[in-house]
Amino acid sequence: MPLSLRQRVGLEMHRALRHNEAKLHQLRTLFWECTLRCNMACRHCGSDCRVQPDVKDMPAGDFLRVIDSIIPHVDPHKVFVIFTGGEALLRPDLEQVGRELYHREFPWGVVTNGFLLDERRLESLMESGMHSITVSLDGFEAEHNWLRRHGQSFERATEAIRLLARQKEILWDVVTCVNPCNYPTLGAFRDYLGSLGVPEWRLFSIFPMGRAADNPELQFTDEQFRGLLEFIKSERKRAEAEKAVSGRGVRVSYACEGFLGPYEQQVRDRYFHCRSGIDVASIRCDGVISGCTSVRSNMDQGNIYTDDFWDVWQNRFRLMRDRSWARKDKCQDCKVWRYCEGSGLHLYDDERRLLTCHYNRLGGSL
């Protein structure tokens, strides 16, 4: 299915906008990988987290010193800080850090597997100024617990979602890592999430990094990948119709992964743009400064223990802001390069070779 004229016009406009954003590189999202400890052993873990990892938790003071160093350069209200891991809620001082961010007027949120999110912890987080939270739920009980390798994971995550559904003062959503195991039940699972009161549902496909690189059973066939996008496209139309009638509906979208050709703006609100290093940065547990936390290959830009974060943000990240280096191999003569520019950086290995091309999987001609 070729790109329509309307899509090409929109993509051309977005291309100009994308290049301007790379030139300006205004920091909008800062991930803090606050721990690599985790209470799960997920089959698809990109960072290969463990109960007792080799890297210790970063001291809260070290992270806050970075925050203080960027305050003269940014509008705190426009930089969203996201705590991630590992499992962020394993840190007992998360609320303390959150309060410090709140006092400095930075909005902040948490990504969690939901296992530790009971009523008391949620109240504590909200009192500390938490603005948003994302909970992972990867299908029904059998499929979710299989992927997470924990017999109580589904039950605890579901209870966390029920708690969030009763809150009116917080933004939240559910994310699902779709794989061949849970793919056949997506329709029924969507109805289940609706019954729980989930407002937003984001779907990810699993890319071959970390543990997932050793689990080919987690990877979609091309037919399944196209089926996933067709499902999301259909569900987005269904949600709009439901909202028009009842004012409610589960808003479904695909993750910001790769260029999707004719599915652009049909399965997510924006055109594809890998924002890693453009307006998204991360500080990993060991102090490494990089783009988004999904980028696990050798694209580190510095370290807070040896470099000034703001200097790194302003003067490095060249490979993320100028993607001309990626026009090689299969991308060399690609017909949609100008819109894709080598896909998402999280899809590259340590030799900076593209592991998978979403457009190609959809039958696009490279």
Side-chain angles (χ1 to χ4, degrees), residues 137 173-176 178 185-187 189-191 193 198-203 231 235 250-254:
L137 192 65
D173 66 353
V174 168
V175 297
T176 296
V178 189
T185 59
L186 285 179
F189 189 58
R190 181 267 181 200
D191 293 339
L193 294 179
V198 173
E200 302 278 343
W201 183 29
R202 286 184 291 144
L203 301 177
F231 169 78
E235 287 300 318
V250 182
R251 178 74 170 166
V252 186
S253 62
Y254 184 61

Side-chain angles (χ1 to χ4, degrees), residues 86-205:
E87 172 48 44
L89 296 188
L90 283 169
R91 285 193 69 127
D93 62 349
L94 209 60
E95 287 88 339
Q96 176 188 342
V97 181
R99 282 192 296 271
E100 293 296 331
L101 290 173
Y102 179 77
H103 294 326
R104 291 162 172 78
E105 300 185 357
F106 285 87
W108 61 276
V110 179
V111 178
T112 176
N113 59 36
F115 193 85
L116 298 174
L117 191 66
D118 56 19
E119 189 169 1
R120 183 176 179 181
R121 191 72 193 270
L122 178 58
E123 182 180 354
S124 176
L125 290 165
M126 293 178 65
E127 288 177 348
S128 301
M130 183 174 69
H131 183 268
S132 73
I133 188 167
T134 292
V135 177
S136 297
L137 192 65
D138 300 308
F140 289 111
E141 186 168 13
E143 293 81 11
H144 176 90
N145 289 348
W146 172 81
L147 189 65
R148 297 282 166 172
R149 291 178 174 173
H150 195 297
Q152 293 180 294
S153 180
F154 176 83
E155 179 183 355
R156 297 288 286 270
T158 301
E159 285 304 312
I161 290 169
R162 289 195 174 100
L163 283 173
L164 291 169
R166 296 199 290 268
Q167 301 299 324
K168 304 298 182 183
E169 300 178 356
I170 189 171
L171 298 174
W172 64 282
D173 66 353
V174 168
V175 297
T176 296
C177 289
V178 189
N179 59 83
C181 187
N182 60 19
Y183 173 73
T185 59
L186 285 179
F189 189 58
R190 181 267 181 200
D191 293 339
Y192 177 70
L193 294 179
S195 73
L196 294 177
V198 173
E200 302 278 343
W201 183 29
R202 286 184 291 144
L203 301 177
F204 290 74
S205 46

Side-chain angles (χ1 to χ4, degrees), residues 205-234:
S205 46
I206 297 173
F207 53 97
M209 281 287 187
R211 291 191 194 125
D214 301 321
N215 279 285
E217 61 189 337
L218 298 177
Q219 304 304 314
F220 273 151
T221 64
D222 292 351
E223 182 180 2
Q224 288 171 326
F225 182 60
R226 180 182 289 275
L228 171 63
L229 298 183
E230 285 291 336
F231 169 78
I232 296 172
K233 178 180 174 182
S234 174

Side-chain angles (χ1 to χ4, degrees), residues 56-101:
K56 294 182 179 180
D57 292 359
M58 177 183 290
D62 294 354
F63 175 69
L64 291 172
R65 276 191 287 274
V66 175
I67 293 296
D68 287 337
S69 75
I70 70 173
I71 288 177
H73 308 289
V74 302
D75 179 352
H77 303 98
K78 296 181 179 180
V79 179
F80 196 81
V81 180
I82 302 175
F83 299 152
T84 185
E87 172 48 44
L89 296 188
L90 283 169
R91 285 193 69 127
D93 62 349
L94 209 60
E95 287 88 339
Q96 176 188 342
V97 181
R99 282 192 296 271
E100 293 296 331
L101 290 173

